[in-house]
Coordinates of all heavy atoms in Angstrom, one line a residue:
Q831 N -26.2 4.2 22.8 CA -27.2 4.2 21.7 C -27.0 5.4 20.8 O -27.1 5.3 19.6 CB -28.6 4.2 22.3 CG -29.0 2.8 22.8 CD -30.5 2.7 23.1 OE1 -31.1 3.7 23.4 NE2 -31.0 1.5 23.2
A832 N -26.7 6.6 21.4 CA -26.4 7.8 20.6 C -25.2 7.6 19.8 O -25.2 8.0 18.6 CB -26.3 9.0 21.5
A833 N -24.2 6.9 20.3 CA -23.0 6.7 19.6 C -23.2 5.7 18.4 O -22.8 5.9 17.3 CB -21.9 6.1 20.5
S834 N -24.1 4.7 18.6 CA -24.4 3.8 17.6 C -25.2 4.5 16.5 O -25.0 4.3 15.3 CB -25.3 2.6 18.1 OG -24.5 1.8 18.9
R835 N -26.2 5.3 16.9 CA -26.9 6.1 15.9 C -26.0 7.0 15.1 O -26.1 7.0 13.8 CB -28.0 6.9 16.6 CG -29.3 6.2 16.8 CD -30.4 7.2 17.2 NE -30.1 8.1 18.3 CZ -30.2 7.8 19.6 NH1 -30.7 6.6 19.9 NH2 -29.9 8.6 20.5
A836 N -25.1 7.7 15.7 CA -24.2 8.6 15.0 C -23.3 7.8 14.1 O -23.1 8.2 12.9 CB -23.4 9.4 16.0
A837 N -22.8 6.7 14.5 CA -21.9 5.8 13.6 C -22.7 5.3 12.4 O -22.2 5.3 11.3 CB -21.3 4.7 14.4
F838 N -24.0 4.9 12.6 CA -24.8 4.4 11.6 C -25.0 5.5 10.5 O -24.8 5.3 9.3 CB -26.2 4.0 12.1 CG -27.1 3.5 11.0 CD1 -27.1 2.2 10.5 CD2 -28.1 4.4 10.6 CE1 -27.9 1.8 9.6 CE2 -29.0 3.9 9.6 CZ -28.9 2.7 9.1
W839 N -25.3 6.7 10.9 CA -25.5 7.8 10.0 C -24.3 8.3 9.3 O -24.3 8.6 8.1 CB -26.2 9.0 10.7 CG -27.7 8.6 10.9 CD1 -28.3 8.3 12.1 CD2 -28.7 8.6 9.9 NE1 -29.6 8.0 11.8 CE2 -29.9 8.2 10.5 CE3 -28.7 8.8 8.5 CZ2 -31.1 8.1 9.8 CZ3 -29.9 8.7 7.8 CH2 -31.0 8.3 8.5
I840 N -23.2 8.3 10.1 CA -21.9 8.7 9.5 C -21.5 7.7 8.4 O -21.1 8.1 7.3 CB -20.8 8.9 10.5 CG1 -21.1 10.1 11.4 CG2 -19.4 9.0 9.9 CD1 -20.2 10.2 12.7
A841 N -21.6 6.4 8.7 CA -21.3 5.4 7.7 C -22.2 5.5 6.5 O -21.8 5.3 5.3 CB -21.3 4.0 8.3
G842 N -23.5 5.8 6.7 CA -24.4 5.9 5.6 C -24.1 7.1 4.8 O -24.2 7.0 3.5
V843 N -23.7 8.2 5.4 CA -23.4 9.4 4.6 C -22.1 9.2 3.8 O -22.0 9.6 2.6 CB -23.3 10.6 5.5 CG1 -22.7 11.8 4.8 CG2 -24.7 11.0 6.1
V844 N -21.1 8.5 4.4 CA -19.9 8.2 3.7 C -20.2 7.3 2.5 O -19.7 7.5 1.4 CB -18.8 7.5 4.6 CG1 -17.7 7.0 3.8 CG2 -18.3 8.6 5.6
A845 N -21.0 6.2 2.7 CA -21.4 5.3 1.6 C -22.2 6.1 0.6 O -22.0 5.9 -0.6 CB -22.2 4.1 2.2
L846 N -23.0 7.0 1.0 CA -23.8 7.8 0.1 C -22.9 8.6 -0.8 O -23.0 8.7 -2.0 CB -24.8 8.6 0.9 CG -25.6 9.7 0.1 CD1 -26.5 9.0 -0.9 CD2 -26.3 10.6 1.1
A847 N -21.9 9.2 -0.1 CA -21.0 10.1 -0.9 C -20.2 9.3 -1.9 O -20.1 9.7 -3.1 CB -20.0 10.8 0.1
L848 N -19.7 8.1 -1.6 CA -19.0 7.3 -2.5 C -19.9 6.9 -3.7 O -19.5 6.9 -4.8 CB -18.5 6.0 -1.8 CG -17.4 6.3 -0.8 CD1 -17.0 5.0 -0.1 CD2 -16.2 6.8 -1.5
G849 N -21.2 6.5 -3.4 CA -22.1 6.1 -4.4 C -22.4 7.3 -5.3 O -22.5 7.2 -6.6
L850 N -22.5 8.5 -4.8 CA -22.8 9.7 -5.6 C -21.6 10.0 -6.5 O -21.8 10.4 -7.6 CB -23.1 10.9 -4.7 CG -24.4 10.7 -3.9 CD1 -24.6 11.9 -3.0 CD2 -25.6 10.7 -4.9
L851 N -20.4 9.9 -6.0 CA -19.2 10.2 -6.8 C -19.1 9.2 -7.9 O -18.8 9.6 -9.0 CB -18.0 10.1 -5.9 CG -17.8 11.3 -4.9 CD1 -16.6 11.0 -4.0 CD2 -17.7 12.6 -5.6
V852 N -19.4 7.9 -7.7 CA -19.3 6.9 -8.7 C -20.4 7.2 -9.8 O -20.1 7.0 -11.0 CB -19.5 5.5 -8.1 CG1 -19.6 4.5 -9.2 CG2 -18.2 5.2 -7.3

Side-chain angles (χ1 to χ4, degrees):
Q831 285 188 340
S834 291
R835 270 194 307 276
F838 176 82
W839 283 105
I840 290 169
V843 169
V844 168
L846 173 65
L848 292 174
L850 292 173
L851 290 173
V852 168

